[in-house]
């Protein structure tokens, strides 16, 4: 019975949006050629792993999309990415991804690509927001005193290592603390 329940399952899905698009990332391992159907009101994703686990998910969208201008691609061995064009970009942001108000634990917000409803107004035609060129991250990090690896440009040789912080004092063993009590 338990194996039967796992035979057909939902993949992990992350989603985010801006005023024009919905970005979906479906996390599944080792599915080379899934069946994908994108319609104005739903997306169907079906596939089988090489290990035999089957995924079959139909997402009925909160609002309509334009399937002709929507795209999808495999971004890694474990991820499929969908850029779904909203049919009505002038409508307010979607309240949720799907029509159903039931909580689906396998669908979560992709906070790495999250855009708040008013944030799109700051973007100009070059894809920058707030006057910053987000495409040139190297220059931005150099202005902030760092580099692409995130390392600071401060020379740590100037730091005086002779000061002892209270956190640097040796800790007593647990056995020693119990003996004192």
């Amino acid at each position: 019975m338990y194996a039967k329940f796992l035979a057909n399952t939902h993949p992990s899905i992350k989603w985010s949006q801006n005023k024009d698009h919905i970005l979906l990332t479906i996390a599944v391992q080792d599915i080379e050629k899934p069946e994908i159907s994108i319609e104005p009101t739903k997306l169907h994703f079906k596939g089988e792993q090489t290990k035999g686990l089957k995924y079959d998910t139909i997402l009925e969208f909160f609002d309509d999309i334009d399937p002709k201008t929507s795209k999808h691609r495999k971004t890694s061995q474990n991820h499929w990415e969908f850029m779904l064009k909203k049919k009505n970009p002038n409508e307010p942001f979607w309240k949720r991804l799907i029509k159903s108000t039931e909580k689906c634990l396998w669908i979560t917000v992709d906070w790495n690509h999250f855009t708040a409803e008013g944030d799109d107004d700051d973007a100009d035609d070059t894809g920058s927001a707030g006057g910053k060129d987000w495409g040139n991250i190297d220059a931005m990090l150099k202005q902030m005193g760092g580099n692409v690896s995130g390392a600071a440009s401060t020379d740590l040789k100037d730091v005086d290592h002779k000061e002892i912080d209270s956190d640097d004092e040796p800790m007593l063993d647990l056995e020693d603390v119990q003996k004192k009590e």
Side-chain angles (χ1 to χ4, degrees):
M1 181 76 173
Y2 184 70
K4 204 175 209 181
F5 177 75
L6 286 178
N8 227 5
T9 188
H10 294 288
S12 174
I13 297 175
K14 288 186 174 187
W15 80 286
S16 62
Q17 67 179 315
N18 63 24
K19 72 176 187 177
D20 299 322
H21 293 91
I22 298 293
L23 176 66
L24 282 181
T25 304
I26 298 180
V28 290
Q29 289 183 331
D30 301 324
I31 295 180
E32 288 301 317
K33 295 181 183 175
E35 295 175 33
I36 297 173
S37 171
I38 301 174
E39 299 177 23
T41 58
K42 65 184 174 184
L43 174 121
H44 184 203
F45 184 91
K46 182 178 181 179
E48 185 174 350
Q49 287 181 332
T50 54
K51 297 176 186 173
L53 188 60
K54 296 179 183 177
Y55 293 98
D56 192 359
T57 300
I58 297 175
L59 299 173
E60 291 189 36
F61 297 126
F62 180 78
D63 205 349
D64 289 352
I65 62 157
D66 181 0
K68 293 179 183 174
T69 57
S70 297
K71 301 173 184 176
H72 69 278
R73 65 185 177 144
K74 186 175 183 178
T75 58
S76 72
Q77 183 177 355
N78 301 331
H79 294 93
W80 288 82
E81 191 173 84
F82 295 79
M83 182 66 74
L84 307 171
K85 175 83 169 142
K86 290 181 179 179
K87 185 174 182 178
N88 302 313
N90 295 328
E91 295 286 321
F93 272 38
W94 294 9
K95 296 177 185 177
R96 56 192 168 273
L97 176 63
I98 57 176
K99 271 190 182 175
S100 173
T101 58
E102 287 183 40
K103 178 69 176 161
C104 298
L105 298 176
W106 43 276
I107 300 175
T108 60
V109 174
D110 185 351
W111 295 109
N112 292 329
H113 296 103
F114 178 80
T115 303
E117 190 156 1
D119 290 351
D120 274 352
D121 298 337
D122 295 337
D124 60 19
D125 293 336
T126 63
S128 65
K132 303 268 188 210
D133 181 8
W134 296 104
N136 192 354
I137 193 131
D138 292 333
M140 211 166 69
L141 284 170
K142 284 179 185 174
Q143 285 179 346
M144 296 186 316
N147 60 30
V148 177
S149 68
S153 60
T154 306
D155 187 4
L156 295 178
K157 293 177 186 174
D158 297 335
V159 177
D160 185 10
H161 293 290
K162 294 178 183 173
E163 288 184 28
I164 297 179
D165 189 7
S166 63
D167 293 341
D168 295 336
E169 295 173 6
M171 292 184 62
L172 296 174
D173 289 331
L174 186 58
E175 295 165 356
D176 294 339
V177 173
Q178 291 174 351
K179 288 177 187 175
K180 287 183 179 180
E181 292 175 0

